[in-house]
Amino acid sequence: MPDAEILTEARVREIIQEEIALAFKKDPAKKHAMIIASKGTLDWAYPPLILATAGAAAGMEASIFFTFYGLNIIHKDFERKLKVSPVAHPGMPMPLPMPDIVTALPGMTAFATGMMKGMFRKKNVATIKELLDVARETGVKLIACQMTMDVFDYKESDFLPGVEFGGAAAALSEARKSHVTFFI
Amino acid sequence: MPDAEILTEARVREIIQEEIALAFKKDPAKKHAMIIASKGTLDWAYPPLILATAGAAAGMEASIFFTFYGLNIIHKDFERKLKVSPVAHPGMPMPLPMPDIVTALPGMTAFATGMMKGMFRKKNVATIKELLDVARETGVKLIACQMTMDVFDYKESDFLPGVEFGGAAAALSEARKSHVTFFI
Amino acid sequence: MPDAEILTEARVREIIQEEIALAFKKDPAKKHAMIIASKGTLDWAYPPLILATAGAAAGMEASIFFTFYGLNIIHKDFERKLKVSPVAHPGMPMPLPMPDIVTALPGMTAFATGMMKGMFRKKNVATIKELLDVARETGVKLIACQMTMDVFDYKESDFLPGVEFGGAAAALSEARKSHVTFFI
């Protein structure tokens, strides 16, 4: 009956360290991702949705808290609201380098938005609509920030079905449990 | 005397797993929030202060590391320095849609700044001054990045009372202990 | 032979708590930093490189995932690609305050880029080239995002030697193990 043998303290510590090493591999924080989406342009709508859906695909519990301009992403009218401005984006690959005064001209935001949509379509990258669908199908929690909704005069009915509503405290209480925490 | 009964290895492992599950619920990283504030505009001054004060209100130890343009937020002259530019913010809700060339005109930054302050005031959102006061009263650590202070020729006396000073290493050593880590 | 004494459950729990407290101090997540670099301008090239190299200097395993405009930072032609635009940066300390319409004029991006390089050089801050060298020498993993490489028509040979290639899933699998997770 080996189970009945007397365990020494040294043996007990050994067992503990074994169990702890295992436990850290299964650290529950590894399964949680909490992303804050604060930008309301087409380009910055991608990273939160791609990271959260990749997390869900890997079995993680992912949530996105949409605040400030990020509310655009889950607005019913997101297709029209999400644009990309070439101004102040000296890092944006453009067919031709342009001074800011040109990128500020009327029509350039529409041009840059169309150009970016075309680049993504040509490379078979999912659209924002498709990523939003995947997010909801795979259980990514989409939470609209109540404070900024109030500031910008949005109503709950302005947002896509499936969107939840919460404040900074709710966002933080999820972030506290998560290794993956990004402010985008 | 049940305490004196011989513990089997199986029973010891059971006790260990019980204690580990409890320990992960009290994971010290859940109590730490480390936020880097790098933007120096009125809109981006809100998220670090709101998240850190919400964390402190929930009993967390929160610190904000102000670097690059984020130094504006804790500058004695923050009221004048924190503005909001409508350029390159196609996501900003404006009374009327405007092309970038119009939002770039002289006076538009002052107009957008005033508009945003009005929206926040109307909705009873705390001002930056109030959030800075709450942060200091609730023990949120406000740390100015020494390297960028030096680059931008700031002196310690340029900053609000209560501000501490440190480098990237100090910021990281706090971030390593924190589940909540945001770069804003 | 004190080791052979019978351990009570109370004593075992005491030992476990001792070991757990030690284990949390050595939480493996404390040694991992995962930074996403998504901006392609001179100013925003600094924070990911400074934080990652500071992490490596402190004995951490640091990786940077370069995505969207952040791909500029590890492009062979990074010296020419990394510029700083004064537009929409009302937080940028400029010698003279300027309205956006002036900062949008041709030449102002070159002027602001030169000014910033000068400020960093004068203060003996490392250049991007030097930080990239330190990163590679200290084992910081530099990973280019394959999806955005594809969208922007970059080839593997466009990037600096030592750069690795991976997708969002790879980035997340590193982030899940890390306390330090920043999206810059």
Side-chain angles (χ1 to χ4, degrees):
Chain A
M1 237 176 71
D3 255 358
E5 82 179 304
I6 292 176
L7 294 170
T8 61
E9 182 172 327
R11 176 68 187 130
V12 165
R13 288 195 189 269
E14 213 174 81
I15 298 171
I16 294 171
Q17 278 152 18
E18 228 172 68
E19 293 285 342
I20 287 177
L22 268 176
F24 270 104
K25 280 198 191 134
K26 299 183 291 185
D27 183 346
K30 286 188 175 171
K31 294 207 44 159
H32 287 262
M34 207 286 149
I35 296 168
I36 301 186
S38 68
K39 314 274 189 315
T41 57
L42 178 63
D43 38 2
W44 298 121
Y46 273 98
L49 293 171
I50 288 175
L51 288 165
T53 53
M60 297 175 76
E61 299 195 26
S63 24
I64 313 177
F65 184 73
F66 297 88
T67 187
F68 278 82
Y69 317 120
L71 289 171
N72 279 351
I73 305 172
I74 47 168
H75 192 279
K76 277 179 183 161
D77 202 14
F78 69 91
E79 301 263 26
R80 207 180 51 77
K81 283 181 174 276
L82 297 175
K83 291 169 194 158
V84 58
S85 167
V87 183
H89 255 320
M92 184 183 295
M94 293 284 278
L96 289 170
M98 297 182 197
D100 284 333
I101 195 76
V102 172
T103 60
L105 290 175
M108 284 308 294
T109 290
F111 171 72
T113 305
M115 187 184 76
M116 180 161 283
K117 283 189 180 171
M119 285 162 88
F120 276 80
R121 191 165 43 232
K122 205 177 115 197
K123 302 296 179 172
N124 296 312
V125 175
T127 62
I128 295 300
K129 188 188 174 316
E130 287 164 342
L131 286 169
L132 282 165
D133 288 343
V134 172
R136 285 177 295 178
E137 281 158 22
T138 56
V140 173
K141 259 195 235 169
L142 307 177
I143 305 158
C145 167
Q146 281 168 326
M147 187 200 87
T148 43
M149 275 173 62
D150 193 34
V151 168
F152 295 147
D153 272 327
Y154 286 131
K155 302 178 299 295
E156 293 200 358
S157 59
D158 289 331
F159 295 96
L160 295 173
V163 167
E164 298 168 40
F165 304 91
L172 265 183
S173 96
E174 186 59 32
R176 292 170 73 159
K177 297 184 287 188
S178 308
H179 271 171
V180 178
T181 52
F182 291 126
F183 186 98
I184 299 178
Chain B
M1 238 175 73
D3 256 1
E5 82 178 305
I6 293 176
L7 294 171
T8 61
E9 182 171 325
R11 175 68 187 129
V12 165
R13 288 197 189 268
E14 214 175 81
I15 298 171
I16 294 170
Q17 278 152 17
E18 228 171 67
E19 293 286 340
I20 287 177
L22 268 176
F24 271 103
K25 279 197 189 134
K26 298 183 291 184
D27 182 346
K30 284 187 176 172
K31 295 206 45 159
H32 287 262
M34 207 287 148
I35 296 169
I36 301 185
S38 68
K39 314 274 189 315
T41 56
L42 178 63
D43 38 1
W44 297 121
Y46 273 98
L49 293 171
I50 288 175
L51 288 165
T53 54
M60 297 175 77
E61 299 195 27
S63 25
I64 313 178
F65 184 73
F66 297 88
T67 188
F68 276 82
Y69 316 120
L71 288 170
N72 279 351
I73 305 172
I74 48 170
H75 192 278
K76 276 178 182 162
D77 203 13
F78 69 91
E79 302 263 25
R80 207 181 50 78
K81 283 181 172 275
L82 298 175
K83 292 170 191 155
V84 58
S85 167
V87 183
H89 255 320
M92 183 183 296
M94 291 285 278
L96 289 171
M98 297 182 196
D100 283 332
I101 195 76
V102 172
T103 60
L105 291 176
M108 284 307 294
T109 289
F111 171 73
T113 305
M115 187 184 78
M116 180 160 284
K117 283 189 180 171
M119 285 161 88
F120 276 81
R121 191 165 43 233
K122 206 177 114 198
K123 301 297 179 170
N124 296 313
V125 175
T127 61
I128 295 299
K129 187 187 175 315
E130 287 163 344
L131 286 170
L132 282 166
D133 287 344
V134 173
R136 286 176 296 178
E137 283 158 21
T138 56
V140 174
K141 259 196 236 169
L142 307 176
I143 305 158
C145 168
Q146 282 168 326
M147 188 199 87
T148 43
M149 275 174 62
D150 192 34
V151 168
F152 296 147
D153 271 326
Y154 286 132
K155 302 178 299 295
E156 294 201 357
S157 59
D158 290 331
F159 295 97
L160 295 173
V163 167
E164 297 168 40
F165 303 91
L172 264 183
S173 96
E174 186 59 33
R176 291 170 73 160
K177 297 183 287 188
S178 309
H179 271 171
V180 178
T181 52
F182 291 127
F183 186 99
I184 299 179
Chain C
M1 239 177 72
D3 255 359
E5 82 179 303
I6 294 177
L7 294 170
T8 62
E9 181 171 327
R11 176 68 188 130
V12 165
R13 287 195 189 269
E14 215 173 80
I15 299 171
I16 295 170
Q17 278 152 18
E18 228 170 69
E19 294 284 342
I20 287 177
L22 268 176
F24 271 104
K25 279 196 191 136
K26 299 183 290 184
D27 183 346
K30 285 188 175 172
K31 294 207 43 158
H32 287 262
M34 207 287 148
I35 297 169
I36 302 185
S38 68
K39 314 276 189 312
T41 55
L42 178 64
D43 38 2
W44 298 121
Y46 273 98
L49 292 172
I50 288 174
L51 289 165
T53 54
M60 297 176 75
E61 299 195 26
S63 25
I64 314 178
F65 183 73
F66 297 88
T67 188
F68 278 82
Y69 316 120
L71 289 170
N72 280 351
I73 305 171
I74 47 168
H75 192 278
K76 276 178 184 162
D77 202 13
F78 69 90
E79 302 263 24
R80 206 180 51 77
K81 282 181 174 277
L82 297 175
K83 292 170 192 155
V84 57
S85 167
V87 183
H89 256 320
M92 183 182 297
M94 292 285 276
L96 288 171
M98 298 182 196
D100 283 333
I101 194 76
V102 172
T103 60
L105 291 176
M108 284 307 293
T109 290
F111 171 73
T113 305
M115 186 184 77
M116 180 160 285
K117 283 189 181 173
M119 286 161 87
F120 277 81
R121 191 166 43 234
K122 205 178 115 199
K123 302 297 179 171
N124 296 313
V125 175
T127 62
I128 295 299
K129 187 187 175 316
E130 286 163 345
L131 286 169
L132 282 166
D133 287 344
V134 173
R136 286 178 295 177
E137 282 157 23
T138 57
V140 174
K141 259 194 234 168
L142 307 177
I143 305 158
C145 168
Q146 280 169 326
M147 188 199 88
T148 44
M149 275 173 63
D150 192 34
V151 168
F152 295 148
D153 272 326
Y154 286 132
K155 302 178 299 295
E156 294 200 0
S157 58
D158 290 331
F159 295 97
L160 295 172
V163 167
E164 297 168 40
F165 304 91
L172 265 183
S173 96
E174 187 58 34
R176 291 170 73 159
K177 298 183 287 188
S178 309
H179 271 172
V180 178
T181 52
F182 291 126
F183 186 98
I184 298 179

